[in-house]
């Protein structure tokens, strides 16, 4: 949800601040909407101040709106241990020294996953188009495969990822 801060009682925000809010995954369910507990399909919403991020004036709200969900997706994939590989191995335990492959490091969750894994101390490899190779390296990818010039499966054959 993106919009403006309107209510009194905020400590760090002022009325009219442009904000982005992530209320959680349940806010989109019909059960939550009917219970009055959560929801974002409205002109106004009530939330804790800790759930609010201020959006700088130079960013479009429509472009910022997807960041909370993309960030959560990347975080869960890297750190929560909630996933499993096609062979059943547990995934999501990135620690310093881990070797991480992020497919699509030039997109929403991907570019955030590259940064998160790098900041955790992982060795990050990602894929992307020629126009974004240097950008993905600047985010922390040590290796970037140009998927327009080569098949990433063949380019990474023999490489080991955690």
């Amino acid at each position: 949800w993106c919009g403006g801060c309107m209510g009194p009682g905020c400590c760090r925000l002022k009325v009219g601040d442009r904000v982005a809010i992530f209320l959680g995954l349940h806010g989109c369910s019909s059960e939550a909407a009917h219970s009055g507990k959560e929801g974002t399909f409205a002109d106004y919403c009530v939330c804790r101040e800790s759930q609010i991020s201020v959006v700088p004036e130079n960013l479009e709200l429509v472009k910022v709106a997807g960041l909370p969900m993309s960030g959560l997706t990347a975080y869960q994939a890297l750190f929560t241990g909630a996933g499993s590989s096609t062979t059943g191995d547990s995934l999501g335990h990135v620690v310093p020294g881990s070797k991480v492959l992020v497919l699509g490091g030039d997109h929403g969750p991907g570019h955030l996953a590259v940064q998160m894994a790098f900041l955790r101390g992982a060795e990050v490899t990602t894929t992307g188009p020629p126009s974004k190779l240097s950008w993905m390296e600047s985010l922390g990818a040590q290796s970037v495969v140009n998927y327009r010039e080569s098949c990433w499966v063949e380019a990474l054959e023999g490489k080991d990822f955690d």
Side-chain angles (χ1 to χ4, degrees):
W1 189 87
C2 282
C5 183
M6 300 183 69
C10 293
C11 295
R12 65 181 173 88
L13 302 168
K14 61 184 181 301
V15 173
D17 279 349
R18 293 165 18 104
V19 297
I21 303 164
F22 182 64
L23 293 177
L25 299 176
H26 301 291
C28 297
S29 73
S30 60
E31 179 182 327
H34 293 298
S35 70
K37 292 180 183 175
E38 297 182 24
T40 58
F41 299 118
D43 292 327
Y44 303 95
C45 71
V46 177
C47 66
R48 290 181 213 92
E49 189 174 3
S50 62
Q51 293 174 285
I52 301 172
S53 296
V54 175
V55 178
E57 289 294 327
N58 64 330
L59 298 178
E60 295 177 48
L61 289 176
V62 70
K63 291 184 178 179
V64 173
L67 281 175
M69 182 59 83
S70 293
L72 178 63
T73 300
Y75 181 83
Q76 286 178 326
L78 294 171
F79 305 119
T80 65
S84 60
S85 72
T86 56
T87 59
D89 296 328
S90 177
L91 298 175
H93 302 286
V94 174
V95 295
S98 293
K99 295 178 183 174
V100 175
L101 172 61
V102 177
L103 298 176
D106 60 318
H107 290 100
H111 84 279
L112 296 170
V114 167
Q115 294 172 79
M116 289 178 192
F118 172 74
L119 290 172
R120 181 58 65 96
E123 180 183 318
V124 182
T125 298
T126 191
T127 62
S131 62
K132 303 241 178 130
L133 300 180
S134 62
W135 177 67
M136 289 182 289
E137 288 173 345
S138 76
L139 297 179
Q142 287 88 359
S143 175
V144 182
V145 176
N146 177 345
Y147 60 61
R148 294 219 174 112
E149 290 183 4
S150 62
C151 171
W152 64 267
V153 173
E154 293 172 5
L156 298 174
E157 187 174 0
K159 305 256 187 203
D160 184 33
F161 297 98
D162 298 317

